């Protein structure tokens, strides 16, 4: 068992790492459980070739409770590595696509402002409203993913997200462009939270390091490449509108890839479908229910009320979520502030063209790539920590690289701040973007993994808390940047962001030292049991361990 939880909490079972690797025949159980009839064999349900035992009597008052079988091929943890990696890359590309479209718009701002007679602040509002949508969408799409499944949410929102780019490509007023940008941000936000949950559906804590690093880095790589593409396109005869056609094409390809590659991964939804399939196979004579649905309301109104409030509940009651959300928000919003600051520093003061100004973001992109390349090193450190504690999940072992990033982030921002004035060669502030990109990448990777390990199946809500916070802050920072740079000058304006990151620097160090204690006070976080006497497992728990599952807590926020 990887944690201890209060007895009052409902438990959700995840595949154990050894069971993923060892396919064994489950011993016959002597416990009193009703035997369900075999469903007709099918190519996608090899488990149906033999009878399965589910607790219950098959009546409405006492239905059969459907659970995973040992080495169940329908359990996402038991899918082949090739299949899981294909899904992981598609989810990472979905996150990249959404973030790329957030900044590709900024490359043609000057041309668009002139043609549509918009002020600089109104033009930047197209970036801010898009990012604000990132904070609104997850409040609806996360609970809908729990109710109907992650796949259908990805497909529907991805297709709608694609269509809203036509507003910029064909619109002839600032209002049309700003409204469609806000709606595109809302419908494009689903991968920012649900993709993280999908990764935790497929990968055990020991395995998910590289996968979650790809997911964590994508939101930083997209904004780096967007201004480069948008800037050069705006200088050609194609004009700034073609940037929206590029966004439309990229989003359409991503939606198509999702339809082809990404299946449903959410365990409760898969078991719910299995229960319905078994009921249909019995001709409606027997009643089956997913173990996740026992005693839980599945009405959309109840789920929305419960889960829409959960991110805010976590921000108000979970110190881990609150402090990490603030830290991620400062780093993330600073990147978006650079979409307004870089044109001032490089185009206004150094007379770069729009395309050349976009190339200045390459320093940040290089840092992101270096940060991603450090993921295997962080993985090895995490594995060693697990091995020292009997293979149990140690969330604080995810914080080694974020501690490094906490030091290098303010250094990189002060570096950029005090070398951005023209007397200093332009390459110096560009190079300063490399440690900034590195810091953002490893902070985002490590803190996202820390939330996944700490809150298990609650990670979608915990990540949604950070997405809401960072989106609100990222909405504000680009809007205030022109006034900040105009009133304080390049050096002191960027120093404001540096001081904010300096204030956040102790956060990963504090949780590395005291995180286990903080988690022990939470009803929702993982509790360490390697520090405590091991209780004698009840018969059901022993059976679950044989089936290859790890117990993790879930309790609905009322």
């Amino acid at each position: 068992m990887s944690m201890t939880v209060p007895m009052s909490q409902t438990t959700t079972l995840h595949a154990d790492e050894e069971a993923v690797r060892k396919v064994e025949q489950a011993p016959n159980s002597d416990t009193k459980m009703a035997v369900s009839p075999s469903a007709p064999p099918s190519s996608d349900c090899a488990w149906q070739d033999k009878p399965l035992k589910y607790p219950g009597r098959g009546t409405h008052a006492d239905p059969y409770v459907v659970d995973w079988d040992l080495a169940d091929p329908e359990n996402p943890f038991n899918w082949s590595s090739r299949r899981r990696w294909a899904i992981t890359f598609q989810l990472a590309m979905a996150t990249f696509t959404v973030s790329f479209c957030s900044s590709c718009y900024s490359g043609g701002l000057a041309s668009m402002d002139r043609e549509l007679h918009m002020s600089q602040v109104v033009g930047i509002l197209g970036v801010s409203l898009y990012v604000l949508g990132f904070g609104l969408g997850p409040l609806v799409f996360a609970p809908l993913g729990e109710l109907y499944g992650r796949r259908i949410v990805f497909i529907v929102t991805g297709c709608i997200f694609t269509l809203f780019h036509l507003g910029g490509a064909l619109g002839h007023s600032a209002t049309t462009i700003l409204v469609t940008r806000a709606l595109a941000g809302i419908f494009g936000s689903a991968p920012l939270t649900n993709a993280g949950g999908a990764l935790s559906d497929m990968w055990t804590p020991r395995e998910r390091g590289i996968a979650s690093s790809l997911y964590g880095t994508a939101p930083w790589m997209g904004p780096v490449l967007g201004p480069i593409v948008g800037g050069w396109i705006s200088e050609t005869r194609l004009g700034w509108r073609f940037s929206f056609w590029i966004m439309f094409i990229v989003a359409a390809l991503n939606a198509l890839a999702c339809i082809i590659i990404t299946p449903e991964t959410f365990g409760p939804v898969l078991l719910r479908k299995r229960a319905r399939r078994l009921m249909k196979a019995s001709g409606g004579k027997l009643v089956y229910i997913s173990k996740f649905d026992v005693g839980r309301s599945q009405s959309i109104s109840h789920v929305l009320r419960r889960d829409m409030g959960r991110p805010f509940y976590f921000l108000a009651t979970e110190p881990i979520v609150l402090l990490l959300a603030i830290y991620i928000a400062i780093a993330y919003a600073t990147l978006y502030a650079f979409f307004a600051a870089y044109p001032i520093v490089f185009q206004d003061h150094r007379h770069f063209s729009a395309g050349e100004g976009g190339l200045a973001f390459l320093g940040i992109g290089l840092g992101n790539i270096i940060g991603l390349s450090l993921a295997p090193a962080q993985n090895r450190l995490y594995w060693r920590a697990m091995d020292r504690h009997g293979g149990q999940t140690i969330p604080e072992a995810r914080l080694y690289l974020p501690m490094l990033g906490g030091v290098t982030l303010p250094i990189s921002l002060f570096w950029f701040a005090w070398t951005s004035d023209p007397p200093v060669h332009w390459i110096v502030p560009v190079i300063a973007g490399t440690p900034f990109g590195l810091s953002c990448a490893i902070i985002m990777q490590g803190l996202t993994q820390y939330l996944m390990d700490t809150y298990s199946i609650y990670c979608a809500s915990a990540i949604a808390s950070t997405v809401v916070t960072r989106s609100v802050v990222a909405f504000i920072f680009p809007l205030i940047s022109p006034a900040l740079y105009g009133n304080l000058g390049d050096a002191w304006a960027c120093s404001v962001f540096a001081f904010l990151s300096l204030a956040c620097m102790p956060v990963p160090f504090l949780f590395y030292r005291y995180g286990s204690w903080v988690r022990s006070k939470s009803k929702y976080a993982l509790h360490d049991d390697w520090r405590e006497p091991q209780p004698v497992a009840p018969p059901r728990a022993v059976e679950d361990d044989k089936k290859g599952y790890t117990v993790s807590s879930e309790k609905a926020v009322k």
Side-chain angles (χ1 to χ4, degrees), residues 107-372:
L109 272 180
S111 302
M112 184 171 57
D113 291 348
R114 287 193 302 268
E115 182 173 331
L116 300 181
H117 308 291
M118 297 190 302
S119 67
Q120 183 183 31
V121 173
V122 173
I124 294 174
L125 195 59
V127 176
S128 294
L129 288 174
Y130 185 95
V131 178
L132 182 63
F134 289 171
L136 300 177
L139 300 178
V140 176
F141 300 140
L144 287 180
E146 174 185 333
L147 192 60
Y148 298 110
R150 306 196 198 278
R151 172 178 165 81
I152 187 65
V153 172
F154 286 142
I155 292 174
V156 173
T157 59
C159 293
I160 297 175
F161 167 70
T162 300
L163 294 177
F164 275 122
H165 292 301
L166 296 176
L170 303 175
H172 293 281
S173 69
T175 303
T176 301
I177 291 175
L178 294 181
V179 169
T180 54
R181 285 289 292 176
L183 292 172
I186 291 172
F187 284 96
S189 64
L192 299 179
T193 52
N194 290 17
L199 293 182
S200 66
D201 293 338
M202 301 183 296
W203 300 99
T204 62
R206 188 180 184 92
E207 296 173 322
R208 75 168 68 116
I210 303 296
S212 56
S213 294
L214 286 171
Y215 163 73
T217 304
W220 303 90
M221 284 301 297
V224 170
L225 295 180
I228 299 174
V229 175
W232 284 110
I233 288 177
S234 68
E235 291 188 351
T236 68
R237 64 178 182 178
L238 295 172
W240 59 269
R241 290 187 185 276
F242 195 73
S243 297
F244 285 93
W245 286 112
I246 293 292
M247 292 183 251
F248 175 83
I249 294 170
V250 172
L253 291 175
N254 173 71
L256 181 62
C258 179
I259 294 171
I260 296 173
I261 297 174
T262 303
E264 182 54 58
T265 62
F266 193 40
V269 170
L270 292 173
L271 287 179
R272 193 177 302 146
K273 291 180 178 179
R274 174 177 290 183
R276 292 170 182 166
R277 194 163 62 238
L278 289 170
M279 286 183 63
K280 183 178 180 180
S282 71
K285 298 177 181 179
L286 299 175
V287 180
Y288 294 81
I289 187 173
S290 164
K291 73 179 297 297
F292 298 97
D293 294 339
V294 176
R296 297 186 66 187
S297 170
Q298 290 304 310
S299 69
I300 186 171
S301 60
H302 175 80
V303 172
L304 286 175
R305 283 198 309 271
R306 182 188 69 202
D307 289 357
M308 285 182 70
R310 187 178 291 165
F312 300 102
Y313 182 86
F314 275 13
L315 286 172
T317 62
E318 297 289 317
I320 293 175
V321 174
L322 175 63
L323 292 178
L324 296 191
I326 293 174
Y327 196 6
I328 292 173
I330 294 300
Y332 187 77
T334 299
L335 174 63
Y336 276 86
F338 280 170
F339 295 148
Y342 267 47
I344 295 173
V345 170
F346 292 102
Q347 296 178 42
D348 294 349
H349 296 169
R350 296 180 182 272
H351 309 295
F352 281 26
S353 68
E356 293 168 344
L359 291 175
F361 284 91
L362 286 177
I364 300 177
L366 176 61
N368 284 334
I369 295 173
I370 296 174
L372 181 60

